[in-house]
Amino acid sequence: MLGLGAAGLALSQPGAWALEPALPPLPAFQEAGFADSPLVGRIVGADGLALQPAQLLARCAAASICMLGEQHDHPDHHALQTWVIQALAARGQLAAVALEMVDAGWLVDGRADAAPANTQPPQVSLTPSGGGSAGRPWGQSEPSVRRALHWNDDGWPWSLYAGPVMAAVRAGIPVVGVNLPDAEMMRAYRDPKWDASVPEAVRRSVIDDVRDSHCGLLPAAQLPAMARIQFARDATMAAGCVALLQPGRTVVLLTGSFHADKTVGIALHLAAADPGAHGGRSPGVFSLLLQGVDADTAPRPPSGFDAVWFTPSTPPVDHCAELRKALAGKVNPP
């Protein structure tokens, strides 16, 4: 169903998009959970109205930052991210691809196949290449790209992320890590300044999410400090995206759905990331939720998202059992 007619959608749209290259074919979904749901494959905006892929892409391209909120272990979500990156790059509308999965500063920008081992991350200073058909494909191999990004395959299986990352690399688009480095997390954990970096209601909401996402296994006294790490990560990703902004192009950020939620995540930190830019205003953000369907899925996006793209769901996993195993024998979980 998803692959039919996708390549011709752009040609049927009025205005500038009618003159753009045809959209790449949409990927066929791999997962089977609730695959027969009428929601699967649908794109729905915040107003509850259905969107065509070309309309979604236009909204993404019109924003300074387009966040693609994923379920990290969902192959179909990464396939849709690949599609978005390919389509934007083909039109010269993609400034860079920013990654939660890579520490801030590590990048692939075409100047070298890989950063030297045992060095500090290079400074992010990218010269616009024109992007898309006007750019020059760099042609790095997957191993060299993984080395350049210092890819952590244990935390982020390359098999899931090779598609979107290499789609950008092959199109000559910078790929840049924007996450808080592990070495900085304990500092954030201990720094009370992060308590005031978001409204108090958001802070409490994130503390609740930290508790729930850790299955109630963490000591209550530890939760506020764990939330500080979340705020520091969001602020670091916001600053990383702001550093990549180019007029007339969008920065695509691949990140988890909670970070992409504009009511609690990265968007709240954009103004502070570069307060002197954009006339004191935050850059425009479009946030797309990639959501696997289940029996209770609502037919429109949650309030923190501008649109949702529904996919089949992955098989259920008992994350709490996995966490209990990971924390077994640890007196003070991190």
Side-chain angles (χ1 to χ4, degrees):
M1 177 178 68
L2 282 176
L4 298 179
L9 281 172
L11 299 179
S12 67
Q13 301 299 316
W17 282 84
L19 303 177
E20 297 288 355
L23 297 183
L26 287 167
F29 290 147
Q30 300 178 34
E31 297 299 314
F34 292 88
D36 58 351
S37 167
L39 289 176
V40 168
R42 293 193 69 201
I43 309 170
V44 181
D47 56 6
L49 299 179
L51 297 172
Q52 294 298 316
Q55 294 172 307
L56 172 74
L57 203 64
R59 295 186 186 189
C60 177
S64 298
I65 300 170
C66 181
M67 299 190 292
L68 306 183
E70 64 181 48
Q71 176 186 319
H72 294 311
D73 62 351
H74 202 311
D76 294 331
H77 292 184
H78 301 301
L80 291 177
Q81 291 169 339
T82 301
W83 181 86
V84 170
I85 289 167
Q86 289 173 334
L88 290 173
R91 289 158 176 75
Q93 294 178 311
L94 184 55
V97 172
L99 299 175
E100 175 196 349
M101 304 81 207
V102 175
D103 285 354
W106 294 118
L107 60 95
V108 176
D109 72 350
R111 292 179 294 206
D113 274 355
N118 301 316
T119 63
Q120 294 299 313
Q123 294 296 312
V124 180
S125 178
L126 302 173
T127 302
S129 65
S133 58
R136 304 172 93 178
W138 300 327
Q140 281 100 333
S141 66
E142 290 192 25
S144 67
V145 169
R146 293 172 66 177
R147 287 196 303 272
L149 296 174
H150 283 226
W151 193 270
N152 175 11
D153 202 59
D154 292 334
W156 312 98
W158 177 253
S159 60
L160 290 172
Y161 290 93
V165 170
M166 295 307 298
V169 169
R170 289 166 182 145
I173 301 298
V175 179
V176 182
V178 292
N179 201 5
L180 182 72
D182 287 347
E184 300 294 324
M185 287 190 182
M186 186 54 67
R187 185 180 302 173
Y189 179 92
R190 294 170 175 163
D191 192 342
K193 78 173 185 180
W194 293 108
D195 296 340
S197 65
V198 296
E200 178 61 18
V202 172
R203 189 180 80 90
R204 292 185 178 276
S205 176
V206 172
I207 289 173
D208 290 343
D209 180 78
V210 171
R211 181 195 62 228
D212 295 343
S213 65
H214 289 79
C215 310
L217 298 174
L218 297 181
Q222 194 174 359
L223 298 178
M226 292 289 288
R228 292 171 185 166
I229 296 176
Q230 182 84 357
F231 305 141
R233 294 182 67 205
D234 284 338
T236 301
M237 287 190 273
C241 289
V242 167
L244 297 170
L245 295 181
Q246 294 180 21
R249 296 191 178 99
T250 189
V251 174
V252 165
L253 171 64
L254 308 190
T255 188
S257 59
F258 194 84
H259 295 291
D261 186 330
K262 291 162 68 172
T263 65
V264 296
I266 293 165
L268 298 181
H269 300 267
L270 285 169
D274 192 359
H278 315 289
R281 302 186 306 273
S282 296
V285 177
F286 181 84
S287 187
L288 172 66
L289 174 63
L290 303 170
Q291 183 175 8
V293 171
D294 61 27
D296 301 318
T297 299
R300 61 192 303 164
S303 60
F305 296 89
D306 299 296
V308 59
W309 199 331
F310 294 111
T311 70
S313 59
T314 53
V317 175
D318 189 344
H319 294 288
C320 291
E322 293 182 349
L323 184 59
R324 288 189 189 94
K325 182 178 179 181
L327 295 178
K330 292 186 178 180
V331 176
N332 293 307

